[in-house]
Amino acid sequence: MDSNGVTMHHPDGSAHHLPLPRARPRAPLRLALALAVTAVAGGTPEPAQARSLAAIERSGELRVLTRNAPTTWYIDRTGRPAGPEYELVEAFAAAIGVEAVYDRRASVGAIIDALAAGEGDLAAAGLTTTAARRERFRFGPAYQAVTQQVVCRRDNVQPETLRQLASVDDVAVIADSSYAELLRALERQGYPVPQWRAAEGTTTETLLYRVWRRELDGTVADSTIVDINRRYLPELLTPMNLSREQQLAWMLPPDAAALEAAITDWLGRYRARGDLAGLHEKYYGFFKVFDYVDTRVLIRRTDERFPKYRHWFRAAAAEHGLGFTLLAAQGYQESHWDPRAASPTGVRGIMMLTRTTARAVGVQDRLDPRQSIFGGARYMARMKGRFVDAVGEPDRTFLALAAYNVGRAHLHDAQVLARRKGLSPHHWRDIKQVLPLLAQPRYYRDLKYGYARGREPVRYVQRIREYQHVLENELRAEAMQQAWLE
């Protein structure tokens, strides 16, 4: 460490030099774990000869090039690898009977160079299939659709057309990216574009952070990356789309035809079983509508209110086998962590318990924050225990949250309705489709428990998942700040 900053070492072995924090540098730290840093991409060598599928299977290892980011590969709060690309790769590797070995690089350019040099069997890093890339590499089948979006700060320039975008002074995109390729294509076709620059050896997440810090006027990013990072940096705004829908796929060496065929066959089966939809639901299902004001309020109340109750949330979650941040996020959804909260329907306290529920879980004073938190945790644990063994995680948690909100009886009706429609009664991605139908007479008249405001539990679960996501990032930032100050 020098007088100007501190070098942080990430789980993937990379290092990042950050300035020493001032009294409470909340936002810069929020993004710290999402940044993959250092290393500068090299040139563009011709791809080396790929290992054959047979050679991969004989070696027992699939060498995967990726990067450390929330949309690809990262270390979760339990200390284990996670991420949409990670789970996809793990499923494919298991299907062909090998172990995935991850080589994490700091930028898209570095990943492409490493694949060209024969240092990996495939690149799984949220890569868009583009014409220029197809000239050098092979791609597997598409597994997700994204849109390239212009990103600015809401209190800065907000271009809504290409002509307005052309007047923006300082725009940067990551080098060797599909964003740079699109901007060059627009230039060649005579469209007005800004005087943009390609930033070497950095990440999209870093550029989003720089826009948030007002160090840049704008950048371009995939819609999935924007959705996640706006929860940490809520002042970011997407005034316009720069592209139509584009496809993400794994990038392969040009002579990896057998590997491509194996991936195509596996992904077809993975998609048909509903596993791909389940993966998207797990990581992106709660990023539907961004609420700037609500996110800012949550960040402020994490500082002001949450410290008073966090030890009780942690203890109650441990006692009843629940996730600490999930229970805390549920408490925020219920009351914004206000111990004296009350509604016109008679529910009260931090966990907004009814009188009947409070008696059932042994709560004598619903306005006592400790009693309310432990009572809510006990009730949530009961909801989770009322599903058959076929309901796995995270669906069991999401269904239990919905039952907490709408009642187990109405959730049972939703499961019945799901079966009637040929959907799964055990998966949240299907149940959230049918819950709103409980408000329609043609559906609820034939169900045991009748009418219910079915949209409310869908919003309830979505909000809690959003709050949990932001809260976990806040707590990571706080832990890092404490580590730096010790």
Side-chain angles (χ1 to χ4, degrees):
M1 183 175 71
D2 61 27
S3 60
N4 296 317
V6 60
T7 299
M8 295 300 298
H9 293 278
H10 294 262
D12 65 354
S14 63
H16 187 194
H17 188 77
L18 294 174
L20 283 171
R22 297 183 180 178
R24 286 190 61 81
R26 298 295 298 167
L29 293 176
R30 276 179 219 119
L31 197 60
L33 291 186
L35 303 181
V37 289
T38 70
V40 178
T44 55
E46 288 303 309
Q49 184 173 0
R51 289 200 304 165
S52 68
L53 178 60
I56 293 170
E57 292 172 338
R58 283 194 303 270
S59 73
E61 291 184 348
L62 179 70
R63 301 180 305 183
V64 181
L65 294 158
T66 190
R67 67 189 190 97
N68 188 355
T71 54
T72 51
W73 180 104
Y74 63 91
I75 298 296
D76 68 12
R77 64 185 182 276
T78 69
R80 293 191 292 266
E85 293 281 7
Y86 168 78
E87 291 203 26
L88 269 179
V89 168
E90 289 291 302
F92 172 65
I96 63 173
V98 300
E99 179 181 356
V101 177
Y102 298 90
D103 184 352
R104 294 173 294 282
R105 302 297 174 106
S107 67
V108 170
I111 288 171
I112 293 174
D113 288 348
L115 186 65
E119 297 174 17
D121 299 313
L122 62 84
L127 299 174
T128 306
T129 59
T130 68
R133 288 173 177 173
R134 284 191 178 278
E135 291 179 359
R136 298 180 61 211
F137 299 98
R138 184 182 293 268
F139 280 88
Y143 57 81
Q144 191 170 8
V146 297
T147 303
Q148 293 188 29
Q149 297 180 321
V150 174
V151 188
C152 306
R153 265 193 71 109
R154 63 177 51 246
D155 56 359
N156 200 352
V157 292
Q158 298 179 19
E160 297 181 358
T161 66
L162 281 176
R163 190 168 300 282
Q164 292 175 2
L165 178 63
S167 65
V168 177
D169 292 332
D170 194 6
V171 174
V173 301
I174 58 172
D176 301 302
S177 65
S178 57
Y179 320 135
E181 187 176 329
L182 177 58
L183 287 169
R184 292 189 188 101
L186 290 172
E187 286 177 319
R188 288 195 300 269
Q189 295 168 29
Y191 288 101
V193 297
Q195 293 297 313
W196 62 278
R197 53 197 167 88
E200 298 278 356
T202 189
T203 66
T204 303
E205 291 81 10
T206 303
L207 295 184
L208 290 174
Y209 173 59
R210 293 188 63 197
V211 171
W212 181 85
R213 285 285 302 264
R214 298 188 180 90
E215 296 171 2
L216 291 173
D217 289 330
T219 188
V220 180
D222 285 344
S223 50
T224 50
I225 299 175
V226 176
D227 281 343
I228 287 181
N229 283 275
R230 286 176 77 188
R231 264 62 190 181
Y232 316 143
L233 309 172
E235 288 82 6
L236 295 182
L237 183 73
T238 54
M240 62 179 289
N241 290 339
L242 196 60
S243 76
R244 295 183 178 179
E245 193 172 85
Q246 297 178 312
Q247 303 300 316
L248 301 185
W250 291 343
M251 184 184 288
L252 315 172
D255 51 347
L259 180 58
E260 180 192 358
I263 294 170
T264 302
D265 178 66
W266 162 77
L267 187 60
R269 289 181 279 110
Y270 188 80
R271 192 191 305 270
R273 291 195 305 267
D275 291 343
L276 185 61
L279 182 70
H280 290 166
E281 169 62 35
K282 177 179 179 179
Y283 285 99
Y284 302 108
F286 53 103
F287 292 131
K288 297 299 184 186
V289 179
F290 176 73
D291 189 327
Y292 166 73
V293 174
D294 197 35
T295 301
R296 292 299 307 167
V297 171
L298 170 59
I299 291 171
R300 185 172 68 249
R301 287 179 175 167
T302 300
D303 287 342
E304 297 171 352
R305 293 184 180 179
F306 186 58
K308 303 175 187 176
Y309 311 114
R310 64 189 296 172
H311 60 293
W312 287 330
F313 278 115
R314 191 181 296 277
E319 181 175 313
H320 294 286
L322 304 173
F324 157 56
T325 54
L326 179 97
L327 184 65
Q330 186 181 11
Y332 184 81
Q333 164 63 24
E334 291 288 353
S335 67
H336 283 202
W337 299 321
D338 179 1
R340 304 195 66 80
S343 82
T345 60
V347 294
R348 304 187 73 180
I350 279 186
M351 300 303 289
M352 296 296 272
L353 302 174
T354 65
R355 283 194 175 91
T356 301
T357 299
R359 284 195 298 269
V361 295
V363 172
Q364 297 179 344
D365 182 359
R366 289 180 291 164
L367 300 185
D368 180 292
R370 185 187 184 283
Q371 288 189 43
S372 183
I373 291 169
F374 275 82
R378 190 174 299 117
Y379 187 61
M380 179 62 182
R382 287 185 184 179
M383 291 296 101
K384 288 187 69 173
R386 290 180 178 177
F387 296 100
V388 297
D389 292 343
V391 181
E393 290 289 3
D395 296 288
R396 180 176 291 269
T397 293
F398 300 154
L399 294 177
L401 286 171
Y404 189 108
N405 176 260
V406 75
R408 184 66 183 90
H410 289 302
L411 191 69
H412 177 270
D413 276 353
Q415 290 179 301
V416 170
L417 185 56
R419 288 189 181 94
R420 291 177 183 174
K421 293 183 134 326
L423 301 173
S424 169
H426 302 152
H427 292 109
W428 175 242
R429 65 176 181 268
D430 290 342
I431 293 299
K432 73 176 184 179
Q433 294 181 45
V434 299
L435 272 167
L437 303 181
L438 301 185
Q440 298 183 26
R442 65 191 181 107
Y443 291 107
Y444 71 69
R445 69 165 59 100
D446 295 326
L447 295 170
K448 183 176 181 179
Y449 299 101
Y451 169 83
R453 293 190 296 270
R455 292 191 182 277
E456 290 188 10
V458 176
R459 287 196 295 265
Y460 181 82
V461 175
Q462 179 176 316
R463 287 288 193 178
I464 290 171
R465 295 176 68 186
E466 290 178 349
Y467 295 151
Q468 182 185 19
H469 198 83
V470 176
L471 180 59
E472 288 179 349
N473 222 50
E474 291 290 296
L475 295 179
R476 281 195 294 266
E478 181 182 281
M480 290 181 67
Q481 179 178 342
Q482 291 299 321
W484 291 351
L485 295 176
E486 289 178 357

